[in-house]
C-alpha cells in the first residue's frame, strides 16, 4: 500500500500540526501505512495519544473512571494512525463554533 | 497588525494559566479584539481577566440543567414546520437531493446509505482550473458500462455474444479495446477478438445466452462503484465535481483529488474513512444545513448535543431503539419507549434489577428526578 500524495495545504489553524506516521519513530503502529492521511482532512480534528501518566492526570482532574469516558474504536482511522491500543486515552482538540477550541477525551475500545 | 494581536493573545493566555482561570478561546479572542492596540499593564490585565471570568461563570449553563429536553424541543419544534415532501434542489445543476424533514430523519436514524448520496469533489490547486484534467478525473469516477460504449448483440447461430465498441465513444472516454478485453478476462470470460469486435461463447441454451448478454451489457468498464453520474461545475475557486452516488474511499485515492476538502453527504462513509470525530462534525454540518435551508434557525448547541450523543460510543448510533435508546440499562425506560411487553417480559424472566437512576423511570414511579432541582440532595441538620 502506498502512502498517496497529500494535498499541499497549510497545517491546521491553532494547533502545532499533527505528527505524521513517519515522524513518529519507533512508537506507534507497526509498519501500517494508510492510503490517505486522514488527519489532513478539514473534518478531522487533532488527535493526540496520551501517555499513562497523562491519562491518569486527566482522569483525576475530572474525577471520572476510564469507562465513563466517550469511546473510540481501535479500528478508527485516526486511532490507527496513532497506533492506539484498547485502554489508552486519546485527547482530541476540536475547533468549536461556540467556544473557539475545546478538548475532548475518548477511551480506545475493542471494535 | 496581526502580530500585536497574536502577542497579546499569548500574553493573555499565559496570565490565565498563572491565575489558574479557564476562559474559552472564543472569549479570549473577543477580549483581545476589544483591547486592540491599547497599552495594558499586567496588573490591569489581571483585574480584567478576573472580571471576565466571573461574568463568564454567570453566563454558563448551570450543572443539572435539563439540556436534553431543551434540545429535543428546540429541534422538534422547527421540525413541525418543515415540509414532509422533498423537492428538487434548484441549486446544483439538475441534481436531486433529499432535503428537509426526510433528510433530518435520515441523519438522526443513522442510515447507512442516504436516499440521495452525493459527493462534492474538490481538486488540487494545480488542477483546479484545468478543464481537461478535471474532465479526465470525472470520467475516472463516473461509471461507464459496456452498453454505454458498445453495441452488444446476441449471435444465435453461433451461440455467442458479440461486442461492437463504438470507436468515437471509446476515444471520448479514453478507453481502448484492450481495456475492455482486460476487464472481461479479469472477470473470467473466455473471449475471442478481432480488430473491431469481441465475442464470447455462451453455453448452448437460449436462456443462458440471453443472461450472458445482459451480464455483459451492465458490466462496469470504468469508474468507481456506486457513482452513477459526475457533473462538473465552475465555482469561484475553480472546477468542482458533483456526483450522484458516493464512494468516498475510492474517490479520495484518485490522483488530483484534494484529500482535505472533498466531502460526501454519506455520514457512514465519512465514519469509515475519516473516523468518529469527523463523522460527528459531518452530522453537525448536515443537520445544520438541512435546517438552515428550510429557513429555520436552531442554535448549533442543540445539534452539537445530538451529534455528541450519537457518536459517544465510538460508532454512529441511531437515536431509536436500535441505538442510543435501546442501550439504556433501565428496563422501565426501554419499556416506556417502544415494544413494551417484550422488555417487561424478558426482564421478569431473567430477574433484572431496576436501579431507578435515570429520568424516565423515576417519573414512572413518582420519585424526584436527578436533574434540575433534583441534582442536589438536601439534608436537614438540626440545631443543637
Amino acid at each position: 500500500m502506498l502512502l498517496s500524495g497529500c494535498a499541499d495545504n497549510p497545517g491546521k489553524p491553532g494547533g502545532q500540526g499533527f505528527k505524521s506516521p513517519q515522524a513518529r519513530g519507533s512508537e506507534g503502529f507497526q509498519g501500517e501505512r494508510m492510503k490517505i492521511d486522514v488527519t489532513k482532512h478539514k473534518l478531522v480534528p487533532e488527535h493526540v495519544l496520551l501517555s499513562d501518566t497523562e491519562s491518569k492526570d486527566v482522569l483525576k482532574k475530572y474525577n471520572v473512571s476510564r469507562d465513563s469516558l466517550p469511546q473510540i474504536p481501535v479500528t478508527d482511522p485516526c486511532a490507527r494512525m496513532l497506533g492506539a491500543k484498547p485502554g489508552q486515552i486519546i485527547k482530541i482538540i476540536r475547533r468549536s463554533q461556540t467556544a473557539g477550541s475545546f478538548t475532548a477525551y475518548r477511551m480506545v475500545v475493542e471494535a | 497588525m496581526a502580530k500585536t494581536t497574536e502577542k497579546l493573545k499569548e500574553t493573555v493566555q499565559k496570565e490565565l494559566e498563572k491565575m489558574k482561570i479557564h476562559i474559552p478561546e472564543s472569549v479570549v479572542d473577543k477580549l483581545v479584539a476589544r483591547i486592540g492596540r491599547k497599552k495594558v499593564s499586567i496588573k490591569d490585565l489581571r483585574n480584567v481577566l478576573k472580571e471576565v471570568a466571573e461574568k463568564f461563570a454567570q453566563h454558563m449553563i448551570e450543572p443539572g440543567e435539563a439540556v436534553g429536553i431543551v434540545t429535543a424541543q428546540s429541534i422538534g419544534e422547527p421540525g413541525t414546520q418543515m415540509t414532509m415532501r422533498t423537492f428538487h434542489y434548484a441549486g446544483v445543476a439538475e441534481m436531486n437531493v433529499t432535503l428537509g424533514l426526510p433528510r433530518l430523519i435520515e441523519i438522526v436514524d443513522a442510515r447507512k446509505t442516504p436516499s440521495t448520496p452525493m459527493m462534492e469533489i474538490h481538486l488540487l490547486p494545480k488542477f483546479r482550473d484545468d478543464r481537461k484534467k478535471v474532465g479526465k478525473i470525472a470520467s475516472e469516477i463516473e461509471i461507464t458500462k459496456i452498453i454505454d460504449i458498445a453495441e452488444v448483440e446476441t449471435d444465435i447461430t453461433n451461440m455467442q455474444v458479440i461486442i461492437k465498441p463504438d470507436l468515437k465513444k471509446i476515444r471520448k472516454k479514453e478507453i481502448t479495446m484492450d481495456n475492455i478485453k482486460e476487464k472481461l478476462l479479469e472477470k473470467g470470460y473466455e473471449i475471442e477478438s478481432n480488430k473491431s469486435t469481441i465475442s464470447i461463447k455462451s453455453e448452448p441454451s437460449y436462456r443462458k445466452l440471453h443472461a450472458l448478454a445482459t451480464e455483459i451489457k451492465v458490466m462496469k468498464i470504468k469508474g468507481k462503484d456506486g457513482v452513477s453520474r459526475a457533473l462538473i461545475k465552475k465555482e469561484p475557486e475553480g472546477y468542482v465535481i458533483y456526483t450522484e452516488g458516493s464512494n468516498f474511499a475510492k474517490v479520495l485515492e484518485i490522483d488530483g483529488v484534494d484529500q482535505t476538502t472533498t466531502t460526501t453527504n454519506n455520514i457512514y462513509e465519512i465514519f469509515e474513512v475519516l473516523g468518529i470525530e469527523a463523522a460527528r462534525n459531518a452530522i453537525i454540518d448536515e443537520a445544520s444545513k438541512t435546517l438552515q435551508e428550510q429557513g429555520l434557525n436552531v442554535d448549533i448547541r442543540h445539534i452539537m448535543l445530538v451529534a455528541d450523543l450519537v457518536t459517544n460510543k465510538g460508532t454512529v448510533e441511531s437515536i431509536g431503539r436500535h441505538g442510543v435508546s435501546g442501550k439504556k440499562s433501565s428496563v422501565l425506560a426501554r419499556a416506556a419507549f417502544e415494544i413494551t411487553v417484550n422488555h417487561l417480559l424478558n426482564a421478569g424472566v431473567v430477574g433484572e434489577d431496576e436501579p431507578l437512576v435515570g429520568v424516565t423511570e423515576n417519573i414512572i414511579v413518582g420519585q424526584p428526578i436527578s436533574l434540575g432541582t433534583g441534582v442536589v440532595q438536601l439534608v436537614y441538620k438540626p440545631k443543637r
Side-chain angles (χ1 to χ4, degrees):
Chain A
M1 274 199 256
L2 285 174
L3 207 67
S4 88
C6 303
D8 40 350
N9 277 334
K12 273 190 275 294
Q16 59 188 6
F18 182 63
K19 287 206 197 78
S20 76
Q22 295 114 326
R24 277 229 134 207
S26 53
E27 46 171 353
F29 54 92
Q30 312 304 316
E32 178 184 4
R33 310 183 92 209
M34 298 177 62
K35 288 186 191 161
I36 307 160
D37 189 355
V38 295
T39 57
K40 296 239 168 68
H41 197 281
K42 67 174 178 182
L43 286 175
V44 179
E46 184 180 344
H47 289 61
V48 179
L49 187 60
L50 296 183
S51 68
D52 272 344
T53 31
E54 288 171 324
S55 300
K56 290 205 175 74
D57 287 340
V58 164
L59 294 177
K60 217 169 78 158
K61 173 177 172 199
Y62 291 106
N63 194 16
V64 291
S65 70
R66 222 172 260 262
D67 298 311
S68 44
L69 287 176
Q71 301 172 347
I72 180 170
V74 220
T75 48
D76 186 285
C78 291
R80 283 190 359 237
M81 289 212 102
L82 293 173
K85 301 202 178 51
Q88 293 186 298
I89 296 181
I90 295 182
K91 174 163 102 165
I92 298 158
I93 303 167
R94 301 174 182 156
R95 299 262 101 216
S96 158
Q97 282 192 34
T98 48
S101 92
F102 177 76
T103 45
Y105 300 91
R106 284 187 187 264
M107 182 184 80
V108 184
V109 288
E110 297 275 344
Chain B
M1 198 56 112
K3 251 193 167 172
T4 41
T5 42
E6 268 211 41
K7 276 198 81 189
L8 183 54
K9 189 171 168 181
E10 275 179 38
T11 323
V12 169
Q13 283 174 326
K14 243 195 318 173
E15 288 303 312
L16 284 173
E17 259 201 73
K18 284 196 217 155
M19 295 166 78
K20 298 218 188 254
I21 305 176
H22 175 74
I23 297 177
E25 199 181 321
S26 54
V27 179
V28 170
D29 284 338
K30 287 203 184 129
L31 177 64
V32 166
R34 200 70 171 76
I35 294 178
R37 318 187 83 191
K38 303 192 189 79
K39 294 231 188 271
V40 191
S41 71
I42 292 292
K43 201 171 110 177
D44 285 339
L45 183 62
R46 284 180 164 238
N47 284 332
V48 169
L49 289 178
K50 244 180 35 177
E51 290 244 13
V52 170
E54 270 178 41
K55 267 284 153 80
F56 179 69
Q58 289 170 4
H59 281 259
M60 275 203 288
I61 295 266
E62 292 176 358
E65 177 84 24
V67 145
I69 280 285
V70 175
T71 287
Q73 293 177 334
S74 305
I75 299 181
E77 184 269 319
T80 56
Q81 298 176 32
M82 284 198 276
T83 55
M84 294 247 208
R85 286 186 306 117
T86 51
F87 44 87
H88 292 272
Y89 195 20
V92 185
E94 327 109 49
M95 277 193 143
N96 191 359
V97 183
T98 345
L99 299 178
L101 196 56
R103 176 64 185 145
L104 200 62
I105 294 175
E106 276 180 3
I107 298 172
V108 156
D109 276 350
R111 277 191 62 170
K112 294 238 164 82
T113 42
S115 44
T116 51
M118 187 183 99
M119 279 194 291
E120 189 180 301
I121 304 167
H122 294 259
L123 301 128
L124 293 175
K126 52 186 173 178
F127 297 134
R128 240 172 242 170
D129 297 307
D130 185 348
R131 180 64 174 80
K132 273 184 93 185
K133 177 72 176 166
V134 173
K136 267 184 88 175
I137 297 178
S139 68
E140 285 280 332
I141 302 171
E142 194 180 52
I143 281 196
T144 313
K145 306 194 195 95
I146 290 195
I147 188 84
D148 295 326
I149 44 150
E151 277 180 33
V152 178
E153 295 173 350
T154 49
D155 184 352
I156 305 181
T157 34
N158 298 322
M159 273 294 158
Q160 60 183 3
V161 175
I162 303 185
I163 304 172
K164 284 201 207 126
D166 179 322
L167 293 168
K168 257 204 306 189
K169 289 189 186 165
I170 280 203
R171 213 165 338 126
K172 218 174 148 212
K173 292 258 178 181
E174 301 204 2
I175 306 174
T176 65
M177 281 275 282
D178 290 321
N179 289 144
I180 307 180
K181 288 192 224 162
E182 264 178 59
K183 267 285 153 115
L184 289 167
L185 288 170
E186 262 177 44
K187 297 266 171 149
Y189 293 104
E190 284 183 29
I191 60 175
E192 283 175 16
S193 64
N194 57 35
K195 254 205 296 186
S196 58
T197 64
I198 305 172
S199 53
I200 308 172
K201 274 239 182 280
S202 154
E203 293 169 42
S205 133
Y206 287 122
R207 236 182 343 122
K208 292 238 164 98
L209 178 65
H210 191 69
L212 181 64
T214 332
E215 256 180 63
I216 297 294
K217 279 184 190 161
V218 297
M219 201 169 87
K220 181 186 85 162
I221 282 293
K222 208 174 179 205
K224 306 297 173 193
D225 281 324
V227 181
S228 53
R229 242 187 358 143
L231 287 137
I232 305 175
K233 238 203 144 201
K234 182 141 189 32
E235 309 262 313
E237 353 80 59
Y239 289 103
V240 176
I241 303 176
Y242 292 93
T243 66
E244 270 186 18
S246 177
N247 191 331
F248 198 49
K250 286 270 148 73
V251 164
L252 281 185
E253 291 170 16
I254 296 178
D255 240 343
V257 166
D258 186 346
Q259 294 179 342
T260 63
T261 49
T262 296
T263 184
T264 174
N265 71 355
N266 185 335
I267 307 237
Y268 194 67
E269 277 185 352
I270 297 211
F271 164 63
E272 286 185 311
V273 175
L274 298 176
I276 188 69
E277 285 287 324
R280 176 185 169 273
N281 284 328
I283 291 173
I284 296 174
D285 286 347
E286 277 289 307
S288 279
K289 221 169 57 168
T290 306
L291 287 161
Q292 268 173 28
E293 272 165 359
Q294 299 281 310
L296 301 163
N297 196 349
V298 175
D299 196 303
I300 199 164
R301 290 173 177 76
H302 304 303
I303 303 170
M304 286 165 80
L305 181 62
V306 174
D308 279 329
L309 204 63
V310 165
T311 54
N312 187 287
K313 291 280 180 306
T315 57
V316 179
E317 296 182 304
S318 87
I319 297 280
R321 70 173 181 272
H322 298 294
V324 177
S325 303
K327 299 236 171 83
K328 288 193 184 168
S329 53
S330 157
V331 183
L332 290 177
R334 275 179 282 127
F337 182 57
E338 290 174 351
I339 339 173
T340 317
V341 182
N342 291 37
H343 281 123
L344 295 176
L345 189 62
N346 282 327
V349 166
V350 170
E352 275 196 63
D353 281 333
E354 171 59 81
L356 293 177
V357 165
V359 174
T360 318
E361 49 270 36
N362 275 299
I363 292 179
I364 292 175
V365 157
Q367 287 183 130
I369 60 177
S370 42
L371 287 183
T373 317
V375 102
V376 174
Q377 284 186 320
L378 295 181
V379 174
Y380 175 56
K381 210 171 162 186
K383 269 221 166 111
R384 292 212 180 272

